[in-house]
């Protein structure tokens, strides 16, 4: 079966028919909510504080609604007008929405958001969908604009489905070029069905920050330390301090 991003540009693929089909699928809704919850968890936001989060590729606001459930405020953007119409008409949708092509950059002011999540969207930037599109340039514009619109010490957790190691390398390279610290979190790495990739990014002042750790806490217990790779039973964490220029095909694509 062909991947959606190879079928048509997102704004055409997610027409009214596909948007309704996606939003009304109980299985897909449950998966989206679960991944959104995990993404918010990976942001490691201050407990008891309501933060303003950017939801990139929010679609019909399924992931955005999970942000509300976690006690935060959200701003959602997507390129599909049909998806945004559904989001606007959902009774439980209580955030702001904008029609945005993330490949030309996020048009928000500097320091607007405490954090950002994205569910199943970033891999669309890796595919040339028109004769004039340049995937590398679109990735660079996206990550540069994402870093700009986050507050200092703001974080992003981007769940994505890389098609192959080359795509993951391109995404990692663009994030590093934009000035992000962070790493790649892979949940259930040995399972083909349950495996999920989360690119966890941190905007920090590199002139002042000490390089003692990259991620202070994940799930309350796990710490990513510079020059260290941690592999647990259901999670792999790789960080940029390892000079991760090549996606590790053997570690991250192996299944049992």
């Amino acid at each position: 079966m062909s991947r959606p991003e190879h079928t048509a540009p997102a704004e055409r693929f997610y027409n009214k028919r596909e948007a309704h089909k996606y939003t009304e699928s109980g299985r897909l809704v449950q998966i989206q909510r679960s991944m959104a919850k995990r993404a918010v968890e990976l942001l490691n936001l201050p407990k008891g504080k309501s933060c303003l989060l950017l939801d990139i590729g929010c679609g019909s606001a399924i992931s955005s609604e999970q942000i509300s459930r976690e006690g935060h405020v959200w701003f959602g953007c997507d390129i599909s007008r049909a998806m945004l119409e559904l989001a606007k008409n959902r009774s439980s949708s209580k955030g702001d929405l904008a029609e945005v092509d993330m490949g030309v950059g996020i048009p928000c002011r500097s320091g607007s958001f405490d954090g950002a999540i994205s569910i199943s969207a970033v891999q669309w930037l890796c595919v040339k969908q028109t004769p004039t599109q340049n995937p590398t340039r679109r990735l660079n514009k996206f990550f540069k604009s994402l870093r700009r619109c986050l507050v200092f010490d703001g974080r992003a957790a981007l769940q994505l489905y890389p098609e192959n190691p080359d795509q993951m390398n391109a995404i990692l390279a663009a994030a590093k070029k934009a000035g992000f610290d962070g790493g790649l979190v892979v949940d259930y790495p040995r399972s083909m069905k349950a495996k999920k990739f989360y690119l966890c990014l941190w905007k920090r002042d590199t002139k002042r920050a000490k390089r003692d750790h990259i991620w202070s806490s994940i799930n309350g217990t796990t710490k990513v330390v510079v020059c260290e790779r941690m592999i647990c039973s259901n999670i792999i964490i790789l960080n940029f301090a390892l000079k991760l220029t090549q996606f590790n095909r053997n570690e991250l694509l192996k299944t049992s």
Side-chain angles (χ1 to χ4, degrees), residues 15-40:
N15 52 32
K16 288 185 178 180
R17 177 177 174 274
E18 285 296 326
H20 278 281
K21 182 179 176 182
Y22 190 97
T23 305
E24 293 170 2
S25 169
R27 183 182 67 87
L28 291 177
V29 168
Q30 185 58 41
I31 292 173
Q32 285 283 105
R33 286 175 178 170
S34 175
M35 292 189 296
K37 183 175 182 179
R38 175 64 165 149
V40 174

Side-chain angles (χ1 to χ4, degrees), residues 113-171:
F113 302 103
D114 299 303
I117 70 167
S118 179
I119 307 299
S120 311
V122 176
Q123 71 272 3
W124 285 80
L125 296 176
C126 298
V127 178
K128 184 177 181 178
Q129 296 173 324
T130 69
T132 59
Q133 279 188 356
N134 183 314
T136 299
R137 188 175 301 135
R138 285 169 63 79
L139 282 167
N140 288 337
K141 286 184 177 181
F142 166 65
F143 282 108
K144 182 179 179 180
S145 65
L146 173 59
R147 190 178 188 279
R148 185 195 67 246
C149 71
L150 291 175
V151 299
F152 274 116
D153 282 334
R155 296 168 178 175
L158 314 177
Q159 184 276 327
L160 62 153
Y161 290 109
E163 184 176 8
N164 51 51
D166 288 340
Q167 280 193 4
M168 195 68 249
N169 287 333
I171 292 168

Side-chain angles (χ1 to χ4, degrees), residues 5-249:
E5 59 266 31
H6 291 297
T7 304
E11 64 271 30
R12 295 213 310 265
F13 180 83
Y14 288 111
N15 52 32
K16 288 185 178 180
R17 177 177 174 274
E18 285 296 326
H20 278 281
K21 182 179 176 182
Y22 190 97
T23 305
E24 293 170 2
S25 169
R27 183 182 67 87
L28 291 177
V29 168
Q30 185 58 41
I31 292 173
Q32 285 283 105
R33 286 175 178 170
S34 175
M35 292 189 296
K37 183 175 182 179
R38 175 64 165 149
V40 174
E41 175 187 13
L42 289 169
L43 293 179
N44 194 34
L45 298 167
K47 291 183 179 180
K49 178 183 177 182
S50 180
C51 297
L52 176 60
L53 303 183
L54 173 65
D55 189 359
I56 306 158
C58 66
S60 56
I62 296 169
S63 52
S64 307
E65 289 174 353
Q66 186 61 43
I67 292 175
S68 295
R69 289 189 183 94
E70 300 294 325
H72 304 293
V73 183
W74 56 270
F75 177 88
C77 62
D78 200 280
I79 197 172
S80 167
R81 188 169 297 180
M83 282 287 202
L84 291 172
E85 286 294 328
L86 284 179
K88 184 174 67 175
N89 294 329
R90 288 166 70 94
S91 60
S92 55
S93 180
K94 299 180 180 179
D96 292 319
L97 298 163
E99 185 177 349
V100 172
D101 177 2
M102 60 182 171
V104 300
I106 300 168
C108 296
R109 291 183 299 180
S110 298
S112 296
F113 302 103
D114 299 303
I117 70 167
S118 179
I119 307 299
S120 311
V122 176
Q123 71 272 3
W124 285 80
L125 296 176
C126 298
V127 178
K128 184 177 181 178
Q129 296 173 324
T130 69
T132 59
Q133 279 188 356
N134 183 314
T136 299
R137 188 175 301 135
R138 285 169 63 79
L139 282 167
N140 288 337
K141 286 184 177 181
F142 166 65
F143 282 108
K144 182 179 179 180
S145 65
L146 173 59
R147 190 178 188 279
R148 185 195 67 246
C149 71
L150 291 175
V151 299
F152 274 116
D153 282 334
R155 296 168 178 175
L158 314 177
Q159 184 276 327
L160 62 153
Y161 290 109
E163 184 176 8
N164 51 51
D166 288 340
Q167 280 193 4
M168 195 68 249
N169 287 333
I171 292 168
L172 289 171
K176 292 176 69 175
K177 183 176 180 180
F180 277 112
D181 282 321
L184 185 66
V185 174
V186 187
D187 285 353
Y188 305 102
R190 308 303 178 205
S191 169
M192 180 64 75
K193 186 176 181 180
K195 183 189 301 179
K196 296 292 184 294
F197 296 87
Y198 296 86
L199 181 59
C200 298
L201 305 174
W202 185 9
K203 174 184 176 179
R204 63 175 186 163
D205 189 341
T206 54
K207 294 181 180 179
R208 294 183 299 172
K210 295 181 180 179
R211 299 194 62 85
D212 54 347
H213 60 71
I214 288 184
W215 218 251
S216 62
S217 175
I218 294 177
N219 207 14
T221 58
T222 306
K223 181 177 289 186
V224 181
V225 182
V226 166
C227 297
E228 181 176 319
R229 182 178 67 180
M230 301 184 65
I231 303 181
C232 306
S233 59
N234 289 328
I235 186 170
I236 290 181
I237 304 170
L238 298 171
N239 67 63
F240 291 162
L242 294 169
K243 299 181 179 178
L244 181 66
T245 57
Q246 291 297 312
F247 186 57
N248 191 326
R249 182 191 300 265

